[in-house]
């Protein structure tokens, strides 16, 4: 008999076809609405594999309902939506989809940096609202990117890719990471700085570190006070790393110049969120990896991770386990 799989959202046909070769597949058909909790609770009781997204909370109460679950495959590089410890305690392997979204997310990070620095969204609204009457010397002037200093917090795969893009703009690249990377320092000509020194020196501060207990509220009131008044904060990592209330205060009090955000602590972000009222905030709906090819590649990788584990090959190097150790 084929193993049973539940897929929590409508996924690209390439991934679904792959799953259906090897398993009996049930799928939540609503493309833009997360699977209701009660449906997920029912489905997880009888499946061998769960294919989920970062919008699905796979916590200990849910895991305890599973009677034969062997693998949770997350179609995301992050996995803070899953209780990894509980899964491990129940002998369930958890997988994710790293690497494939690195360059696409770096593209979006730099695009958001540029849009925020040059006030592109604000300028578009200005034009559409009929406010553009004539050319003016200081109309909608922004911040220079070429030759500026960028501080990257979290020099992982995406951080490295952003650093490479910054070098194309002749930027001075600083980074802070939980461990230094001398090989990258030499190869990319980037400089390690303690966090507080980086915050004080950088014109652009890019948050690219994973969300953990240690990084929650990593950037808050104290950190904003260290930054330049002209500094721009970009977060394409996870909500909760930048304290949103502190960010709002820093922007309103002109402690920093602007912010570009692809992620929020609560997603979708409420439309009455104070940050959305500010003209110097560019806000996006978590589209860091949202290119067609990357999303298809992520979906297929998640499918292959899941089937690989179910076929008894959990140590295969091509299977991206997050609880390997």
């Amino acid at each position: 008999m084929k193993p049973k799989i539940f897929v929590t959202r409508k996924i690209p046909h390439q991934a679904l076809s792959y799953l259906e070769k090897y398993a009996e597949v049930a799928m939540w058909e609503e493309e833009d609405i997360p699977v209701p909790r009660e449906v997920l609770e029912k489905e997880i009781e009888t499946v061998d594999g769960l294919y989920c997204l970062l919008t699905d909370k796979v916590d200990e109460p849910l895991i305890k309902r599973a009677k034969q679950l062997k693998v949770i495959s997350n179609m995301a590089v992050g996995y803070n939506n899953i209780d990894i410890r509980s899964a491990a305690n129940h002998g369930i392997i958890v997988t994710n989809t790293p690497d494939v979204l690195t360059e696409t997310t770096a593209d979006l990070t730099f695009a958001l940096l540029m849009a925020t620095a040059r006030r592109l969204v604000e300028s578009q609204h200005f034009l559409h609202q009929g406010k553009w009457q004539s050319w003016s010397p200081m109309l909608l002037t922004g911040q220079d990117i070429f030759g500026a200093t960028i501080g990257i917090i979290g020099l992982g795969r995406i951080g490295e890719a952003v650093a490479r893009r910054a070098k194309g703009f002749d930027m001075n690249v600083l980074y802070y990471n939980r461990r230094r990377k001398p090989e990258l320092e030499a190869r990319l000509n980037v400089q390690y700085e303690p966090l507080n020194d980086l915050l004080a020196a950088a014109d652009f501060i890019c948050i690219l570190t994973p969300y953990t207990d240690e990084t929650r509220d990593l950037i808050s009131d104290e950190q904003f006070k260290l930054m330049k008044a002209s500094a721009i904060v970009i977060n394409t990592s996870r909500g909760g790393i930048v304290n949103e209330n502190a960010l709002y205060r820093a922007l309103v009090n002109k402690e920093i110049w602007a912010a570009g955000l692809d992620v929020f602590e609560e997603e979708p972000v409420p439309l009455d969120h104070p940050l959305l009222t500010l003209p110097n905030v560019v806000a996006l709906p978590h589209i860091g990896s949202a290119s067609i090819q990357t999303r298809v590649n992520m979906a297929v990788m998640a499918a292959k991770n899941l089937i690989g584990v179910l076929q008894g090959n959990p140590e295969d190097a091509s299977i991206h386990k997050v609880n390997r150790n």
Side-chain angles (χ1 to χ4, degrees):
M1 290 179 60
K2 288 184 175 181
K4 295 177 66 176
I5 293 170
F6 182 66
V7 181
T8 64
R9 194 77 67 89
K10 191 174 181 180
I11 57 175
H13 69 88
Q14 297 94 327
L16 181 59
S17 297
Y18 184 86
L19 290 173
E20 290 176 336
K21 286 182 185 178
Y22 304 100
E24 179 184 332
V25 181
M27 182 171 68
W28 176 249
E29 293 286 346
E30 295 290 340
E31 188 167 6
D32 296 320
I33 302 173
V35 60
R37 177 73 177 195
E38 60 270 20
V39 174
L40 188 53
E41 287 176 344
K42 179 181 177 182
E43 293 289 347
I44 203 168
E45 291 181 353
T46 59
V47 296
D48 302 284
L50 179 68
Y51 183 117
C52 63
L53 282 70
L54 56 84
T55 48
D56 304 310
K57 187 176 182 180
V58 186
D59 54 15
E60 185 168 23
L62 184 68
I63 289 171
K64 282 183 174 179
R65 300 178 72 95
K67 297 179 175 63
Q68 59 194 52
L69 190 65
K70 301 175 182 65
V71 55
I72 300 168
S73 181
N74 209 36
M75 186 185 144
V77 64
Y79 43 87
N80 51 291
N81 58 309
I82 301 171
D83 188 330
I84 301 297
R85 180 174 297 178
S86 177
N89 289 340
H90 287 81
I92 299 167
I93 292 173
V94 179
T95 68
N96 66 338
T97 57
D99 303 335
V100 67
L101 50 67
T102 296
E103 300 300 336
T104 303
T105 305
D107 283 347
L108 188 280
T109 301
F110 217 83
L112 185 55
L113 181 154
M114 296 179 72
T116 306
R118 295 301 304 272
R119 302 171 68 178
L120 298 190
V121 175
E122 186 182 356
S123 296
Q124 183 184 44
H125 290 164
F126 184 87
L127 185 153
H128 286 176
Q129 292 165 3
K131 295 180 180 179
W132 186 25
Q133 301 300 313
S134 69
W135 184 90
S136 177
M138 299 304 288
L139 176 65
L140 292 164
T141 49
Q143 301 286 353
D144 280 325
I145 301 164
F146 186 87
T149 295
I150 184 173
I152 298 173
I153 300 176
L155 198 68
R157 298 179 186 91
I158 298 171
E160 179 185 346
V162 169
R164 285 190 273 104
R165 284 155 177 77
K167 283 299 178 179
F169 282 73
D170 201 26
M171 298 181 85
N172 175 36
V173 181
L174 310 178
Y175 81 96
Y176 170 76
N177 204 59
R178 61 183 177 181
R179 61 181 179 85
R180 289 190 65 165
K181 298 192 172 182
E183 184 273 330
L184 283 182
E185 292 177 20
R187 176 158 56 86
L188 296 178
N189 190 25
V190 301
Q191 180 179 334
Y192 174 86
E193 292 286 351
L195 180 60
N196 287 353
D197 293 347
L198 179 150
L199 296 175
D203 300 301
F204 298 92
I205 297 161
C206 290
I207 314 298
L208 292 164
T209 187
Y211 178 87
T212 65
D213 289 340
E214 290 72 29
T215 61
R216 178 172 177 79
D217 290 339
L218 180 68
I219 307 299
S220 194
D221 291 289
E222 181 180 345
Q223 288 71 39
F224 286 119
K225 293 184 187 304
L226 296 173
M227 298 179 191
K228 298 178 180 179
S230 58
I232 295 173
V233 173
I234 304 295
N235 187 9
T236 55
S237 182
R238 283 290 185 270
I241 299 172
V242 177
N243 183 291
E244 292 172 2
N245 293 329
L247 174 59
Y248 179 80
R249 288 190 290 269
L251 290 163
V252 169
N253 295 331
K254 301 187 185 303
E255 292 174 345
I256 65 171
W257 197 74
L261 307 171
D262 186 43
V263 291
F264 294 86
E265 190 163 358
E266 180 183 350
E267 296 184 357
V269 61
L271 292 180
D272 61 354
H273 195 296
L275 285 169
L276 300 188
T277 67
L278 302 179
N280 55 344
V281 172
V282 177
L284 304 178
H286 204 147
I287 58 170
S289 62
S291 74
I292 295 169
Q293 192 57 55
T294 292
R295 288 289 171 85
V296 169
N297 290 344
M298 288 172 66
V300 171
M301 178 182 287
K304 290 183 175 181
N305 285 340
L306 190 150
I307 295 300
V309 173
L310 290 181
Q311 289 182 336
N313 302 312
E315 297 307 320
D316 190 316
S318 65
I319 298 174
H320 299 272
K321 293 172 60 179
V322 302
N323 52 355
R324 185 179 298 276
N325 297 320

